[in-house]
Amino acid sequence: MKVIVTGGTGYIGSHTIVDLMQNGFEVVCIDNLMRSKEYALSGIEKITGTKPVFHYIDLCNKDATFDVISGHKDAVGIIHFAALKSVGESVEQPLLYYHNNVDSLLNILAAVKEFDIPNFVFSSSCSVYGNADELPVTEHTLMQKAESPYAHTKQIGEDIIRNFSKVHSSQHILLRYFNPIGAHPSSFIGEIPIDKPNNLVPYITQTAIGKMQQLTVFGDDYETRDGSCIRDYIHVCDIAHAHTLALQHLLHKENESNIEVFNLGTGMGVSVLEVIEAFEKVSGQKLNYTIGPRRAGDVVAVYADNTKAEVRLGWKCQYSLEDAMLSAWNWELKMRELGL
Ligand code: WQD
């Protein structure tokens, strides 16, 4: 069975393509390579033995989108990752984010309608909850105001799909990722930050390998067990497998409605300092970091209640924080070897 993956050369997209292929799916990858490298396709091939069909187009171009999807009308589903995802950049360039993330979604949904694609899985984010007023966060936790234009594009995206699902026969799943980290155990694929990393873990590994001078911990005076912020760090391979299970859930018609929402987190909150400690333990080296001021927009703590995905999708996290940190470090070393 064929599945179309948009944003498939990206971090989570490439890991999901590997998982889909290893579960018997034929994959068609669409990407504009704006924030990813075509290298991901050969990394996927090294792991699975097969390079996915690749269409190099911008989903903001409706004609190009229709042209490509019309060639894959037999696809059993679309998994839509393609989007810009830097919280900081979205604050500086809101129009870029609203245009790119919303227009591309509108075009791909128009193609779902035009070509009767039966299933649609959307890459959403825990950032849709904003400053959640309860922990752990469940799928029913009230959404607060989005803390960034990026998060707002994910809230808008979910609403668009919800209203689309009311009038179309396609089946939809929204997956809300917490903090994806790590890399495939083979070290053939991983996150390739295009310029300065935005997120904690790539910043840690780039500091450790010498690409960055020093990590700054953004605040250790929060009301948490060690003063640093708490997040739900989840191995990217666990996130990837959840997409395969979500698509199979729809294919087996196990869904209770034509739009379902699932949190993808480990259910465990971990602090910044605990992530650093885990890195030092698995890498065997001290990390050069300093404590700095808080970062605007940071929530103190957020972590998932992942029961619904466990029960309804049969999904279980396989990797620990230490597995993720070791794989992230091995990937950083591999990127240096590959000159990425
Ligand atoms: C994590 C913690 C920082 C860098 C991310 C994505 C967002 C969404 C949720 C997918 C925070 C601290 C960071 C540094 C630090 N994912 N930190 N020094 O902000 O939770 O959001 O996950 O949709 O798109 O951006 O992740 O990795 O930026 O920060 O102390 O140099 O690490 O303050 O507490 P965040 P992050």
Side-chain angles (χ1 to χ4, degrees), residues 39 182-191 201 204-206 208-209 211 235 279 282-285 322-338 340:
Y39 161 79
H184 192 270
S186 67
S187 295
F188 286 133
I189 54 172
E191 184 173 13
V201 172
I204 287 175
T205 56
Q206 287 201 13
I209 206 164
K211 277 185 186 169
H235 197 293
F279 173 77
V282 299
S283 67
Q285 52 176 315
E322 289 177 0
D323 294 333
M325 294 313 291
L326 180 59
S327 66
W329 179 229
N330 288 335
W331 169 243
E332 189 66 61
L333 294 167
K334 175 66 86 173
M335 276 197 282
R336 178 168 64 182
E337 192 189 307
L338 295 170
L340 283 171

Side-chain angles (χ1 to χ4, degrees), residues 45-121:
E45 187 177 21
K46 284 187 193 137
I47 299 167
T48 65
T50 308
K51 188 178 263 192
V53 169
F54 176 54
H55 296 282
Y56 173 41
I57 61 152
D58 188 339
L59 294 171
C60 290
N61 177 332
K62 187 169 183 178
D63 291 344
T65 302
F66 271 45
D67 186 43
V68 166
I69 306 295
S70 67
H72 298 290
K73 288 196 278 273
D74 56 333
V76 295
I78 292 178
I79 302 181
H80 181 53
F81 290 101
L84 294 173
K85 61 134 192 159
S86 164
V87 169
E89 183 184 49
S90 77
V91 172
E92 287 150 27
Q93 302 188 60
L95 295 186
L96 172 66
Y97 271 67
Y98 288 116
H99 164 60
N100 184 78
N101 292 4
V102 178
D103 287 358
S104 55
L105 174 64
L106 290 172
N107 287 340
I108 202 77
L109 287 176
V112 166
K113 172 171 176 268
E114 179 70 17
F115 303 108
D116 274 335
I117 306 291
N119 299 296
F120 187 78
V121 179

Side-chain angles (χ1 to χ4, degrees), residues 1 17-26 241 244-245 248:
M1 287 186 284
I17 288 179
V18 165
D19 198 274
L20 287 164
M21 286 176 146
Q22 290 178 335
N23 282 279
F25 288 95
E26 178 199 347
H241 189 54
T244 303
L245 293 174
Q248 290 169 335

